[in-house]
Amino acid sequence: MRSFEVKNRTLAEDIKALRLITAIKTPYLPDGRFDLEAYDALVNMQIGDGVEGVIVGGTTGEGQLMSWDEHIMLIGHTVNCFGSSIKVIGNTGSNSTREAIHATEQGFAVGMHAALHINPYYGKTSVEGMVSHFEHVLPMGPTIIYNVPSRTGQDIPPGVIHTLAQSPNLAGVKECVGHARVVQYTENGVVVWSGNDDECHDSRWDHGATGVISVASNLVPGLMHLLMFGGKNPSLNSKLLPLIDWLFKEPNPIGLNTALAQLGVVRPVFRLPYVPLPRPKRVEFVNLVKEIGREHFVGEKDVQVLDDDEFILIGRY
Amino acid sequence: MRSFEVKNRTLAEDIKALRLITAIKTPYLPDGRFDLEAYDALVNMQIGDGVEGVIVGGTTGEGQLMSWDEHIMLIGHTVNCFGSSIKVIGNTGSNSTREAIHATEQGFAVGMHAALHINPYYGKTSVEGMVSHFEHVLPMGPTIIYNVPSRTGQDIPPGVIHTLAQSPNLAGVKECVGHARVVQYTENGVVVWSGNDDECHDSRWDHGATGVISVASNLVPGLMHLLMFGGKNPSLNSKLLPLIDWLFKEPNPIGLNTALAQLGVVRPVFRLPYVPLPRPKRVEFVNLVKEIGREHFVGEKDVQVLDDDEFILIGRY
Amino acid sequence: MRSFEVKNRTLAEDIKALRLITAIKTPYLPDGRFDLEAYDALVNMQIGDGVEGVIVGGTTGEGQLMSWDEHIMLIGHTVNCFGSSIKVIGNTGSNSTREAIHATEQGFAVGMHAALHINPYYGKTSVEGMVSHFEHVLPMGPTIIYNVPSRTGQDIPPGVIHTLAQSPNLAGVKECVGHARVVQYTENGVVVWSGNDDECHDSRWDHGATGVISVASNLVPGLMHLLMFGGKNPSLNSKLLPLIDWLFKEPNPIGLNTALAQLGVVRPVFRLPYVPLPRPKRVEFVNLVKEIGREHFVGEKDVQVLDDDEFILIGRY
Amino acid sequence: MRSFEVKNRTLAEDIKALRLITAIKTPYLPDGRFDLEAYDALVNMQIGDGVEGVIVGGTTGEGQLMSWDEHIMLIGHTVNCFGSSIKVIGNTGSNSTREAIHATEQGFAVGMHAALHINPYYGKTSVEGMVSHFEHVLPMGPTIIYNVPSRTGQDIPPGVIHTLAQSPNLAGVKECVGHARVVQYTENGVVVWSGNDDECHDSRWDHGATGVISVASNLVPGLMHLLMFGGKNPSLNSKLLPLIDWLFKEPNPIGLNTALAQLGVVRPVFRLPYVPLPRPKRVEFVNLVKEIGREHFVGEKDVQVLDDDEFILIGRY
């Protein structure tokens, strides 16, 4: 189900060159559907501050809470509105090979520039199964493999990546396992994006990583851009660490969702099983914004502490 | 779930100006999935010969045989690859109001320029129900209403159209009921596209229709362009009528599917319940091509009579 | 995907013997989901008054407004709760052969006793296509074919039925075209159920029909039982005709939905595109109930005229 | 969307009493659809050897590779054919609260006796989110909570279970974390099933567990029955441990799928990302069968070592 139209020809090289990719938040309307106006505004803020790519429907964007038709629609929407300004990387991975194949085919058909693929989480499989899974989707287009054992329950061994690297479509790895693993790849010519905001500065400047696939850049895209492009900058890194630490106190995107709602950039609507951080943490966030400087954060409104009853939590949507 | 990005702002006026719209065929791979290469080629032929818009997943394009995710994907794909050259009109209508709402929202989100909406076929409803159905989707963007009682089992009374015409989003009507009905609209300022290839010349030049939403233009886009743009031309019309007659001997798109396969433009793959025309009709088509001139038809290959066993009929896909 | 468990072995003969089958209404909760309590009560009323089978998700039950998972769930639910008291016939037909195959396979897997199949409405097809469509589902189990050209836009020619009758799975035909057609089948050994409540008495007693697949029996199951089992009864038939006439003033199930809501048997919730009958018609219904006798109608509450604002119309569910 | 029919009234007490529950394998046809004949045979073997309940579409049954409609269909099918002989527990859990709500509602509607629920794997959430997730499904019927951090990436803290235990619907916990955790529950009146075949004997006889939700019982249901019902039996336990060890060398159900295929009980068809164990492991299995005794294993055929090319691996289905 290939298309050879010019618009559907992105090279893995174009993806390999990206240093700052945001795992973009998906905002919701009060009934749980996507809030495309807020989404568009958010993507425009990313573009305006130098972000080069977005992961659509990643774990941060809550792809796991989307139906596939919503997911592919959001990829298609992003391509249509922003595809000439930013690279659109669809998280079309799944723990089901069938779903990964179907979604990846559809994602490339609607014009995404690259796919993000996870190893089969939860169900898991053998190393042979993992390789077979990836080999079913890799021929479809530029691909980033995502390794995050703390979510998947299973590490992708480097051998798997080196096998896949024989395909010209392997753009690189989003790696969360730490510097030693990063080096293991970068010394062997495999492009790496740090999947940990707290490590990305060092990964980039000390361990050969190309850049970061970031959660924090949803909030402070300009500062993350400086961190990735502006040369080694431990003081900026130190300044950001408390924010990053706050963001990941609970499983992501709980912190991010809470933060963007308090910045007035998205409505305070959560699709369950996500719930906002408790009030003391919400107060902490306002203080962090003041310390770092409101002007570095997305949005124009004053940051505020939202009350419990201002949040809408949705189970059916 | 609105987006206000420039790319998602098409005016009904832009749709009203279109004279030649093709209800584009959806080609298939041998396993029943979409053949996007063939599809892209087909759309490019349309663009090359002056077609101004395509209906994606109409009854001709077999939207009724698509899952909604396939359907929206095909709309998104068409927008992405061809949206700057041709207007993309998604057939996001349904006999279920829920499905029509959902699909139309998604179609506009991925950038379609207009929606085509049918009255609730098969299940049918009252006039009040019909109006309510359309009023749930009309606010989403430019809309063409499609009236084809021979398929739906129920005529859309002109009163319904006049009610809907109060919305700035009503671009017009695709009307299959005949000249008298066409005139009833065009004399009252409602834009009409003929939905009958055999009547479109007269509708256009004698009865005020703006143009045609055509099946035949899949095959002879250049001649259909001449018919709509080149002034009154009864001799061209007469020349085309035998082809049009042949096309509709069996319910559309049976004839079209058979024709395009024999022109070598699509693989001879049918999703059931469609089956190819019988061999004598296939021979007739080859003769029609020769009479009209192969050069007026899409594709470069010689037209041929396919054998029964060259067709692939698919029930599970 | 066969199962040979005893519970999944229904013979076509068991279906052929049924005289009174109700095309059962699907009641809704205020948010548009199924109201299973009301549904169960309704089915129990049917069983209590001698109805022998139910069509689940027919056009009366608004299968056209269900997602397939809802539809199969409702079939499975009905089998589980009532399958030992009443025959469960799932309307797993579709104008898409793929969907018909998939739904029929699933319906038999969850234990339905027979399938109801429609010819491909709206999209339509050739006679050859129609036969091929039915032949893909007929081997799965006992099957009733449904002919209703006023909905489908296309008559099923008797030749198609005679071809299909070679399969031991063809239980018979639900025919809406009139007495002449009924006779054409019954004289040739094909079982017929009338699909028209206003004709069923004569079809049954004068033209050889086995019985009826009824809408009116949702309301007056006991009287419909008498009409089918109690011998020729023109006076009862005449007594019922005004009710039947009222029921079909607008496309079914608009009348039925309005009636059951006013009888207090279902909540006044409509899935669009259905809307309630206007108030004057609602008053008429109350009078009809009084004339025929409240005791013959389902439910225990007083019949009442509902106000416009008591109805809930739902587009998203 | 409740039903109060007798058939839909299972008490949590009925579930709490079960000692041997099999996480039943889902067998496939060569095209990847369910092989219901093989499934029915497998369930009958379980019933015949004293198994009291089945988990339908658990991780062992590859619920993660099913579409929800397949999943609910399989639950409905199992209820219909076997629901009077065995308790049917549907794995209607999901990492998406929406999906868990929808599937659980449907599962109970088609008659499942209890639901199995997992905490949100992969996406994960906070403890508050976890509780909220479970509280959305617990009111629907008897529920077993499943804790398997090695798959989910997140332990369910005992505090969560104690909170949920206030609901009369909490039947108990399928716990994989070890004896200390088991004791923590059983001493506090929470029913526990071991989720680890290698620990279940000791959990049952030394640590107060009620029984096991077993993978091995797919293969040796009679021996597992003896292990759970026949009194403390360390020698039987020791005899089984090499088999259990073999089963879990690679992520379950890779071993089980390979074993059942070699026993001739299911076709050697794998839905990816699962692939068979390599040949040396397949030889080991045949030896294990001989050591334990072919007569203790399901099926009647000779156990055999399958060749690589006898396995069918399927990505699209």
Side-chain angles (χ1 to χ4, degrees):
Chain A
M1 211 189 66
R2 290 270 182 101
S3 163
F4 294 109
E5 285 301 303
V6 173
K7 281 216 154 184
N8 281 346
R9 286 183 216 152
T10 306
L11 298 176
E13 304 309 314
D14 300 332
I15 304 302
K16 287 180 182 174
L18 307 173
R19 295 206 181 280
L20 178 55
I21 300 167
T22 296
I24 194 86
K25 154 76 180 161
T26 307
Y28 304 116
L29 296 171
D31 66 359
R33 283 179 301 141
F34 294 165
D35 181 349
L36 287 187
E37 276 185 68
Y39 178 82
D40 293 348
L42 207 56
V43 175
N44 274 321
M45 292 169 200
Q46 301 291 313
I47 294 169
D49 279 353
V51 172
E52 302 162 294
V54 283
I55 305 288
V56 178
T59 43
T60 301
E62 301 177 1
Q64 63 275 18
L65 307 186
M66 295 177 187
S67 57
W68 276 114
D69 69 304
E70 284 183 317
H71 201 140
I72 300 300
M73 178 277 274
L74 193 61
I75 292 171
H77 171 75
T78 311
V79 168
N80 181 46
C81 293
F82 309 106
S84 58
S85 306
I86 201 166
K87 291 290 178 239
V88 179
I89 303 160
N91 171 28
T92 55
S94 172
N95 59 350
S96 157
T97 307
R98 168 169 69 170
E99 294 190 25
I101 289 172
H102 186 69
T104 305
E105 219 168 44
Q106 292 207 330
F108 280 118
V110 299
M112 70 179 183
H113 302 105
L116 182 72
H117 279 289
I118 193 78
N119 51 316
Y121 49 84
Y122 183 54
K124 304 200 285 193
T125 187
S126 60
V127 166
E128 292 75 18
M130 216 185 264
V131 170
S132 182
H133 177 83
F134 289 131
E135 286 180 341
H136 272 76
V137 288
L138 202 48
M140 297 183 192
T143 301
I144 300 173
I145 303 288
Y146 180 19
N147 188 34
V148 58
S150 65
R151 286 188 181 277
T152 60
Q154 192 174 27
D155 184 41
I156 304 176
V160 168
I161 298 297
H162 291 305
T163 300
L164 302 176
Q166 294 163 18
S167 162
N169 278 335
L170 188 77
V173 181
K174 177 184 178 188
E175 184 57 76
C176 298
V177 160
H179 294 314
R181 180 69 63 84
V182 169
V183 169
Q184 203 172 345
Y185 288 131
T186 57
E187 287 185 347
N188 286 284
V190 174
V191 166
V192 174
W193 293 272
S194 174
N196 297 327
D197 281 326
D198 61 346
E199 293 182 345
C200 72
H201 174 267
D202 295 355
S203 287
R204 164 83 173 95
W205 299 109
D206 296 338
H207 306 293
T210 291
V212 66
I213 296 180
S214 177
V215 176
S217 57
N218 278 281
L219 298 174
V220 288
L223 295 184
M224 291 305 291
H225 187 265
L226 192 57
L227 204 68
M228 289 297 106
F229 284 85
K232 205 162 171 170
N233 193 339
S235 93
L236 174 59
N237 196 37
S238 300
K239 188 177 163 186
L240 288 170
L241 283 177
L243 173 66
I244 291 166
D245 184 54
W246 180 89
L247 265 178
F248 294 95
K249 278 286 184 232
E250 293 288 355
N252 177 53
I254 287 177
L256 178 67
N257 290 350
T258 307
L260 285 168
Q262 296 207 147
L263 288 166
V265 171
V266 305
R267 288 178 166 88
V269 179
F270 282 64
R271 283 185 176 185
L272 287 167
Y274 297 116
V275 296
L277 286 174
R279 196 178 166 88
K281 286 281 164 201
R282 302 201 295 260
V283 173
E284 266 180 54
F285 176 70
V286 170
N287 294 332
L288 282 163
V289 172
K290 288 178 182 158
E291 280 157 35
I292 293 169
R294 176 67 183 91
E295 69 279 12
H296 294 300
F297 285 77
V298 291
E300 309 272 308
K301 297 186 190 160
D302 284 346
V303 64
Q304 55 174 326
V305 178
L306 291 173
D307 286 329
D308 282 358
D309 60 9
E310 293 183 86
F311 289 96
I312 298 173
L313 312 186
I314 301 188
R316 297 184 193 273
Y317 49 91
Chain B
M1 211 188 66
R2 291 270 182 100
S3 163
F4 293 110
E5 285 301 304
V6 173
K7 282 216 155 182
N8 282 346
R9 286 183 217 151
T10 307
L11 296 176
E13 304 310 314
D14 299 333
I15 304 302
K16 286 179 184 175
L18 306 173
R19 294 206 181 280
L20 179 54
I21 300 168
T22 296
I24 194 88
K25 153 79 181 159
T26 308
Y28 305 116
L29 295 171
D31 66 359
R33 284 179 300 141
F34 294 164
D35 181 349
L36 287 187
E37 275 184 69
Y39 178 82
D40 293 348
L42 206 56
V43 176
N44 274 322
M45 292 168 199
Q46 301 291 313
I47 294 170
D49 278 352
V51 173
E52 301 163 293
V54 284
I55 305 287
V56 178
T59 43
T60 302
E62 302 177 2
Q64 63 276 19
L65 307 186
M66 295 177 186
S67 58
W68 276 114
D69 69 305
E70 283 183 318
H71 202 140
I72 300 299
M73 178 277 273
L74 193 61
I75 293 171
H77 170 76
T78 312
V79 169
N80 181 47
C81 293
F82 308 105
S84 58
S85 307
I86 200 165
K87 292 292 177 234
V88 179
I89 302 159
N91 171 27
T92 55
S94 172
N95 59 351
S96 156
T97 308
R98 169 169 68 169
E99 294 190 25
I101 290 172
H102 186 68
T104 306
E105 218 169 44
Q106 292 207 331
F108 280 118
V110 300
M112 71 180 182
H113 302 105
L116 181 73
H117 279 289
I118 192 80
N119 51 316
Y121 49 85
Y122 183 54
K124 304 200 286 192
T125 187
S126 60
V127 167
E128 293 75 19
M130 216 185 264
V131 170
S132 182
H133 177 82
F134 289 131
E135 286 182 343
H136 272 75
V137 289
L138 201 49
M140 296 184 191
T143 301
I144 299 173
I145 303 290
Y146 180 20
N147 188 35
V148 59
S150 64
R151 286 189 182 276
T152 61
Q154 192 174 26
D155 183 41
I156 305 177
V160 168
I161 298 298
H162 291 304
T163 300
L164 301 176
Q166 294 163 18
S167 163
N169 278 335
L170 187 77
V173 181
K174 177 185 179 188
E175 185 56 77
C176 299
V177 161
H179 295 313
R181 181 68 64 83
V182 170
V183 169
Q184 203 173 345
Y185 289 131
T186 57
E187 288 186 346
N188 286 284
V190 174
V191 167
V192 174
W193 293 272
S194 173
N196 298 328
D197 282 326
D198 61 346
E199 295 182 342
C200 72
H201 174 268
D202 295 354
S203 287
R204 164 84 173 93
W205 300 109
D206 297 338
H207 306 293
T210 291
V212 66
I213 296 181
S214 177
V215 176
S217 58
N218 277 280
L219 297 174
V220 288
L223 296 183
M224 291 304 291
H225 187 264
L226 191 57
L227 204 67
M228 289 296 107
F229 283 87
K232 205 160 171 171
N233 193 338
S235 93
L236 175 58
N237 196 38
S238 300
K239 187 176 166 189
L240 288 170
L241 283 177
L243 174 67
I244 291 167
D245 185 54
W246 180 91
L247 265 178
F248 294 94
K249 278 284 184 233
E250 294 288 354
N252 177 53
I254 287 177
L256 178 66
N257 291 350
T258 307
L260 285 168
Q262 296 206 149
L263 288 166
V265 170
V266 305
R267 289 177 165 89
V269 179
F270 282 63
R271 282 185 175 186
L272 288 167
Y274 297 116
V275 296
L277 286 174
R279 197 179 164 89
K281 287 281 164 201
R282 303 201 295 260
V283 172
E284 266 180 54
F285 177 71
V286 170
N287 294 333
L288 283 164
V289 172
K290 288 177 184 159
E291 281 158 35
I292 294 169
R294 176 66 185 90
E295 68 280 12
H296 294 299
F297 284 77
V298 291
E300 311 274 307
K301 298 185 191 160
D302 283 348
V303 63
Q304 56 175 325
V305 178
L306 290 173
D307 286 330
D308 283 358
D309 62 7
E310 294 183 83
F311 289 96
I312 298 173
L313 312 186
I314 301 189
R316 299 182 191 273
Y317 47 92
Chain C
M1 210 189 65
R2 290 269 183 102
S3 162
F4 293 110
E5 286 301 304
V6 174
K7 281 216 155 182
N8 282 347
R9 287 183 215 151
T10 306
L11 297 176
E13 304 310 314
D14 300 332
I15 304 302
K16 287 179 183 175
L18 306 174
R19 294 207 181 279
L20 178 55
I21 300 168
T22 297
I24 194 88
K25 154 78 180 160
T26 308
Y28 305 116
L29 296 171
D31 66 358
R33 284 178 300 141
F34 295 165
D35 181 349
L36 287 187
E37 276 185 69
Y39 178 81
D40 293 349
L42 207 55
V43 176
N44 274 322
M45 292 167 200
Q46 301 292 313
I47 294 170
D49 279 351
V51 173
E52 301 163 293
V54 283
I55 304 288
V56 179
T59 43
T60 302
E62 301 177 3
Q64 63 274 20
L65 307 186
M66 295 177 186
S67 57
W68 276 114
D69 69 304
E70 284 182 317
H71 202 140
I72 300 300
M73 178 277 274
L74 192 61
I75 293 171
H77 170 76
T78 312
V79 169
N80 181 47
C81 293
F82 309 106
S84 58
S85 308
I86 201 166
K87 291 291 178 237
V88 179
I89 303 159
N91 171 28
T92 55
S94 173
N95 60 350
S96 157
T97 307
R98 169 169 68 171
E99 294 191 25
I101 290 172
H102 186 68
T104 306
E105 218 168 44
Q106 292 207 331
F108 280 118
V110 300
M112 70 181 184
H113 302 106
L116 181 73
H117 280 290
I118 191 80
N119 52 315
Y121 49 86
Y122 183 53
K124 304 200 287 191
T125 187
S126 60
V127 167
E128 293 74 19
M130 215 184 266
V131 169
S132 182
H133 177 83
F134 289 131
E135 286 182 341
H136 273 75
V137 289
L138 201 49
M140 296 183 190
T143 300
I144 299 172
I145 303 289
Y146 180 20
N147 188 34
V148 59
S150 65
R151 286 189 182 278
T152 61
Q154 192 174 25
D155 184 41
I156 305 176
V160 168
I161 297 299
H162 291 304
T163 301
L164 301 177
Q166 294 163 18
S167 163
N169 278 334
L170 187 77
V173 181
K174 176 185 178 188
E175 183 57 75
C176 299
V177 160
H179 295 313
R181 181 68 63 84
V182 170
V183 168
Q184 203 173 347
Y185 289 132
T186 56
E187 288 185 347
N188 286 284
V190 174
V191 167
V192 174
W193 293 272
S194 173
N196 297 328
D197 282 325
D198 61 346
E199 294 182 343
C200 71
H201 174 268
D202 296 354
S203 287
R204 163 83 174 94
W205 300 109
D206 296 337
H207 307 294
T210 291
V212 65
I213 296 181
S214 176
V215 175
S217 58
N218 278 280
L219 297 174
V220 288
L223 296 183
M224 291 305 291
H225 187 264
L226 192 57
L227 204 67
M228 290 295 107
F229 284 85
K232 204 161 171 173
N233 193 338
S235 92
L236 174 59
N237 196 37
S238 300
K239 187 175 165 187
L240 287 170
L241 283 177
L243 173 66
I244 291 166
D245 185 54
W246 180 91
L247 266 177
F248 293 95
K249 278 286 184 229
E250 293 288 354
N252 177 53
I254 287 178
L256 177 67
N257 291 349
T258 307
L260 285 168
Q262 295 205 147
L263 288 166
V265 170
V266 306
R267 288 177 166 88
V269 179
F270 282 63
R271 283 185 174 185
L272 288 166
Y274 297 116
V275 297
L277 286 175
R279 196 178 165 90
K281 287 280 166 202
R282 302 200 296 260
V283 173
E284 266 180 55
F285 177 70
V286 170
N287 294 333
L288 283 164
V289 172
K290 288 177 184 159
E291 280 157 35
I292 294 169
R294 175 67 183 91
E295 69 279 12
H296 295 298
F297 284 77
V298 292
E300 309 274 309
K301 297 185 192 162
D302 283 347
V303 63
Q304 56 174 325
V305 178
L306 291 173
D307 286 329
D308 283 358
D309 61 7
E310 294 183 84
F311 289 97
I312 299 173
L313 312 186
I314 300 189
R316 297 183 192 273
Y317 48 91
Chain D
M1 211 189 63
R2 290 270 182 101
S3 163
F4 292 110
E5 285 302 302
V6 173
K7 281 217 154 181
N8 281 346
R9 287 183 215 151
T10 307
L11 297 176
E13 303 310 314
D14 300 333
I15 304 303
K16 285 179 184 177
L18 307 173
R19 294 206 180 281
L20 178 55
I21 300 168
T22 296
I24 193 86
K25 155 77 180 160
T26 307
Y28 304 116
L29 295 171
D31 66 359
R33 283 178 300 141
F34 294 165
D35 181 350
L36 287 187
E37 276 185 69
Y39 178 80
D40 293 348
L42 206 56
V43 175
N44 274 322
M45 292 168 199
Q46 301 291 313
I47 294 169
D49 279 351
V51 172
E52 302 163 294
V54 284
I55 305 286
V56 178
T59 43
T60 302
E62 301 177 2
Q64 64 275 17
L65 306 186
M66 294 177 186
S67 57
W68 275 114
D69 69 304
E70 284 183 317
H71 202 140
I72 300 300
M73 178 277 274
L74 193 60
I75 292 171
H77 170 76
T78 312
V79 168
N80 181 47
C81 294
F82 309 106
S84 57
S85 307
I86 201 166
K87 291 289 177 240
V88 179
I89 302 160
N91 172 27
T92 55
S94 172
N95 60 351
S96 156
T97 306
R98 169 169 67 170
E99 294 190 24
I101 289 172
H102 186 68
T104 306
E105 219 168 44
Q106 293 207 330
F108 280 118
V110 299
M112 72 179 182
H113 302 104
L116 181 73
H117 279 290
I118 193 79
N119 51 315
Y121 49 85
Y122 183 54
K124 304 202 284 192
T125 187
S126 61
V127 167
E128 292 75 18
M130 214 185 265
V131 170
S132 182
H133 177 82
F134 289 130
E135 286 182 341
H136 273 74
V137 288
L138 202 48
M140 295 183 193
T143 301
I144 300 173
I145 303 289
Y146 180 19
N147 189 33
V148 59
S150 65
R151 286 189 182 276
T152 61
Q154 192 174 26
D155 183 41
I156 304 176
V160 168
I161 298 297
H162 291 305
T163 299
L164 301 177
Q166 293 164 17
S167 162
N169 278 334
L170 187 77
V173 181
K174 177 185 178 187
E175 183 57 76
C176 299
V177 160
H179 295 313
R181 180 67 63 84
V182 170
V183 169
Q184 203 173 343
Y185 289 132
T186 57
E187 288 186 346
N188 286 284
V190 174
V191 166
V192 174
W193 293 272
S194 174
N196 297 328
D197 281 326
D198 61 346
E199 293 181 344
C200 72
H201 174 268
D202 295 356
S203 287
R204 164 83 174 95
W205 299 109
D206 297 338
H207 305 294
T210 290
V212 65
I213 295 180
S214 176
V215 175
S217 56
N218 278 281
L219 298 174
V220 288
L223 296 184
M224 291 305 291
H225 187 264
L226 191 57
L227 204 68
M228 288 297 106
F229 283 86
K232 205 161 173 172
N233 193 338
S235 92
L236 174 59
N237 195 37
S238 299
K239 187 176 164 188
L240 287 170
L241 283 178
L243 174 66
I244 292 167
D245 185 53
W246 179 90
L247 266 178
F248 294 95
K249 278 286 184 231
E250 293 288 355
N252 176 53
I254 287 178
L256 178 66
N257 291 349
T258 307
L260 284 168
Q262 297 206 147
L263 288 166
V265 170
V266 305
R267 288 177 166 88
V269 179
F270 282 63
R271 283 186 174 183
L272 288 167
Y274 297 116
V275 295
L277 287 174
R279 195 178 166 89
K281 286 281 165 201
R282 303 201 295 260
V283 172
E284 266 181 55
F285 176 70
V286 170
N287 294 332
L288 282 163
V289 172
K290 289 178 182 159
E291 280 158 34
I292 293 169
R294 176 65 183 91
E295 69 279 12
H296 295 299
F297 285 77
V298 291
E300 310 272 308
K301 297 186 190 160
D302 284 346
V303 63
Q304 56 175 324
V305 178
L306 291 172
D307 286 329
D308 282 358
D309 61 7
E310 294 184 84
F311 290 97
I312 299 173
L313 312 186
I314 301 189
R316 298 182 192 273
Y317 48 89

